[in-house]
Amino acid sequence: MSDTIAILNDTTRCTGCEKCVAACKEEYELGRDRPWRAQGAVSDLSSTRYTTIVRRPDEHYVRQQCRHCLEPACVSACLVGAMQKTPEGPVVYDADRCMGCRYCLAACPYGIPRYEWDQRVPYVTKCTMCIERVRRGDIPACVDACPEEATMFGTRAELLAEAHRRIDENPGKYQPRVFGEHEIGGTSVLYISDIPLDFLAWKPDLGTQPLPERTWAALHKVPPLMLGMGGLMTGIYWVVGRRMKLASEAAIELETAASDIQAPAAEAESGEGST
Ligand code: SF4
Ligand code: SF4
Ligand code: SF4
């Protein structure tokens, strides 16, 4: 199997300048952060912030983004294939397939995906590792913008080698592990750090077994859970129907607004022509 692409974040080099955040916002036209009541702070990950900087004591800065897990729980939790693992490694989202159930939000051990709660037709949002830029031969916008080389792009094998090299050549500087090398089967966003990074996950020790394996093993052992599937599917049809209705209402509103603008312009034009 060819090696997947990856990002290595070295927290010892990060100054918290947020140029990576700004570059991501510009690349995806995310606009200004909007406070939302479920958020602790506007600087949290959100539908307008696919990456952010978590500030820790003593001027430690830790970049947060989707880990692009090798065996992603969000993908296995999504019943309609809206979360997909690409052959290159990044985990991407297909809004056309999404039914709005938000199982991916609940499944992610790093609390990454966000929902557009304030939109009429909401979707899930998260980092894509700039897969389209990478396919064009470019590197992710955030990596490109970092002036400190605190975040690097390459293949997972190259970046793991670089991470271990930095740890070995700087005794005592780093925690003695590469975060993401083995956790829950491994991730494509890796970290080396002088402080523990367990706070980034939903519990300190995630183990090394991929979450999808655990999830499905548990489901097979608990058949009654499957009995709820009928009710679940009913809910899904309701959600899909509602989303389609909202989308078509939004389209009608746009059409009406457009014809409201065009009508006076046409009248003015014909008035001008008749004089
Ligand atoms: S970090 Fe969460 S959202 Fe990202 S691939 Fe892993 S499970 Fe999915
Ligand atoms: S890889 Fe791309 S989408 Fe992900 S945080 Fe960086 S700029 Fe944003
Ligand atoms: S641009 Fe680089 S140094 Fe600045 S906050 Fe982002 S990762 Fe840290």
Side-chain angles (χ1 to χ4, degrees):
M1 194 184 80
S2 63
D3 197 13
T4 58
I5 56 174
I7 285 177
L8 170 64
N9 289 316
D10 182 341
T11 69
T12 68
R13 296 192 177 199
C14 182
T15 60
C17 69
E18 296 213 359
K19 288 188 175 161
C20 51
V21 178
C24 181
K25 278 175 161 291
E26 189 179 341
E27 179 75 15
Y28 296 98
E29 298 178 357
L30 300 179
R32 292 179 55 196
D33 294 315
R34 300 183 291 266
W36 179 251
R37 64 175 177 274
Q39 267 180 299
V42 286
S43 58
D44 286 353
L45 284 183
S46 71
S47 58
T48 58
R49 206 174 248 252
Y50 300 167
T51 184
T52 197
I53 302 297
V54 180
R55 282 155 207 279
R56 304 296 284 178
D58 302 322
E59 299 190 347
H60 285 103
Y61 307 99
V62 183
R63 190 154 87 90
Q64 200 181 16
Q65 65 182 114
C66 172
R67 306 304 195 283
H68 300 283
C69 306
L70 301 189
E71 299 196 45
C74 60
V75 171
S76 67
C78 181
L79 298 175
V80 292
M83 285 289 180
Q84 297 160 3
K85 180 87 176 153
T86 59
E88 298 95 327
V91 174
V92 298
Y93 168 71
D94 182 346
D96 290 340
R97 292 185 178 212
C98 180
M99 62 188 179
C101 68
R102 305 188 295 277
Y103 279 18
C104 53
L105 273 72
C108 175
Y110 298 108
I112 297 298
R114 293 296 194 269
Y115 200 56
E116 295 177 309
W117 296 101
D118 55 347
Q119 298 297 311
R120 290 196 72 199
V121 185
Y123 292 104
V124 173
T125 61
K126 72 168 196 68
C127 159
T128 62
M129 209 191 274
C130 285
I131 182 70
E132 295 307 328
R133 279 175 65 105
V134 173
R135 283 176 178 162
R136 293 195 302 268
D138 213 337
I139 63 173
C142 53
V143 176
D144 204 19
C146 179
E148 308 294 338
E149 294 187 352
T151 183
M152 299 167 59
F153 178 72
T155 68
R156 191 168 184 272
E158 283 168 356
L159 294 180
L160 273 174
E162 175 63 14
H164 282 290
R165 186 190 66 76
R166 289 187 190 184
I167 292 171
D168 293 346
E169 290 183 2
N170 297 280
K173 179 175 179 182
Y174 293 99
Q175 297 275 311
R177 63 188 268 212
V178 179
F179 295 85
E181 182 170 12
H182 301 298
E183 291 84 352
I184 56 165
T187 60
S188 295
V189 171
L190 306 161
Y191 291 85
I192 48 176
S193 174
D194 53 346
I195 57 168
L197 298 181
D198 296 331
F199 67 90
L200 289 175
W202 69 18
K203 64 175 189 169
D205 181 15
L206 289 174
T208 56
Q209 192 185 6
L211 288 182
E213 280 179 17
R214 283 193 241 164
T215 312
W216 288 112
L219 280 176
H220 286 304
K221 281 179 194 153
V222 192
L225 268 182
M226 303 305 282
L227 298 177
M229 204 55 84
L232 173 67
M233 294 312 285
T234 308
I236 288 167
Y237 279 114
W238 181 86
V239 172
V240 171
R242 179 174 161 274
R243 287 165 72 91
M244 289 177 73
K245 182 167 175 286
L246 285 171
S248 86
E249 279 174 9
I252 290 166
E253 271 176 26
L254 272 176
E255 264 178 36
T256 313
S259 55
D260 284 352
I261 292 166
Q262 281 163 5
E267 274 169 30
E269 224 172 75
S270 67
E272 275 169 22
S274 63
T275 55

